[in-house]
Amino acid sequence: MGKITNDWLSEIEAEFHKSYYKELYKFIISEYKNHMVYPNAEDIFNAFHFTPLKDVKVVIIGQDPYHNEGQAHGLCFSVKPGTKIPPSLVNIYKELKADLGCYIPNNGYLKKWAEQGVLLLNTVLTVRAHQAYSHQGKGWEQFTDAIINAVNAQDRPIVFILWGRPAQNKKVMLNNKKHLILEAPHPSPLSAFRGFFGSKPFSKTNNFLENNGVKPIDWQIENM
């Protein structure tokens, strides 16, 4: 696994020494040795590599990585360039167009968001190929809860975007009154029409950031 070397390390280093993480590490090593697992091992911690803690303005919480070949690269909802845009991200782009007028790009590579301070965090960071949720309950949830707690503790305004029930279950951890919590149904085709469309998370996020003297996010993903 690619090592975390930026300011996240001092916040979460204690997790690496806990018994649950040691068991998780053994499990992950075995999975990568014996099965096809996504994302590539060096991409597991990309959300933290691309978005240092000091730069976090927004947190979007996903579940586990995409489980088909060539999709996952360590950022929730994002896929590698040249990969077909998954249905949930198609709906995110539709809402972004309706909300802010952004054109729908020809790719699903969200690194631009991450580099502006959008932490694209899955609660589980690995998955066995073609087996959704196959790495749930192995310890990743405890690790990513530590990440969420570290962001919640930051003494500055941050937006948490919680799409769907699994993400919204993290709301009990978010007790910092400086932050904004936005909730809506998941953008998947199964639930997007139940209130995701029309929820305007992108304009609400930028309005909150600007009202607090923080540079807003440029949400437009450009064509490649």
Side-chain angles (χ1 to χ4, degrees), residues 62-185:
Q63 295 182 48
D64 66 342
Y66 296 122
H67 53 82
N68 290 324
E69 183 178 359
Q71 293 182 308
H73 66 102
L75 306 180
C76 75
F77 294 107
S78 180
V79 292
K80 294 178 180 179
T83 303
K84 182 180 179 181
I85 303 173
S88 291
L89 185 53
V90 168
N91 286 339
I92 290 170
Y93 282 162
K94 288 179 180 177
E95 176 61 17
L96 180 55
K97 181 178 181 180
D99 188 7
L100 291 179
C102 295
Y103 69 81
I104 296 177
N106 61 5
N107 68 91
Y109 192 49
L110 305 182
K111 186 180 179 183
K112 176 182 175 181
W113 291 0
E115 291 178 335
Q116 294 180 81
V118 182
L119 181 65
L120 296 166
L121 179 68
N122 279 316
T123 55
V124 175
L125 300 186
T126 55
V127 66
R128 194 182 292 185
H130 314 303
Q131 296 184 39
Y133 313 123
S134 51
H135 287 182
Q136 283 190 329
K138 302 298 184 181
W140 278 130
E141 293 91 342
Q142 188 170 343
F143 179 78
T144 53
D145 277 358
I147 297 292
I148 294 168
N149 279 326
V151 179
N152 179 64
Q154 298 302 298
D155 189 30
R156 64 180 192 275
I158 294 171
V159 182
F160 287 83
I161 298 177
L162 310 179
W163 289 330
R165 189 173 302 277
Q168 289 162 11
N169 286 340
K170 304 299 182 183
K171 185 178 179 180
V172 295
M173 303 169 59
L174 307 177
N175 56 12
N176 189 327
K177 293 183 179 180
K178 289 195 173 184
H179 304 329
L180 174 67
I181 300 172
L182 299 177
E183 299 179 76

Side-chain angles (χ1 to χ4, degrees), residues 168-224:
Q168 289 162 11
N169 286 340
K170 304 299 182 183
K171 185 178 179 180
V172 295
M173 303 169 59
L174 307 177
N175 56 12
N176 189 327
K177 293 183 179 180
K178 289 195 173 184
H179 304 329
L180 174 67
I181 300 172
L182 299 177
E183 299 179 76
H186 195 275
S188 79
L190 297 174
S191 56
F193 287 97
R194 299 175 187 165
F196 172 77
F197 289 132
S199 61
K200 300 185 180 297
F202 307 103
S203 60
K204 289 176 181 177
T205 292
N206 279 357
N207 288 339
F208 175 79
L209 294 175
E210 289 184 295
N211 288 339
N212 284 278
V214 180
K215 184 178 179 181
I217 305 299
D218 176 6
W219 294 102
Q220 179 68 68
I221 299 295
E222 287 81 13
N223 286 332
M224 289 187 165

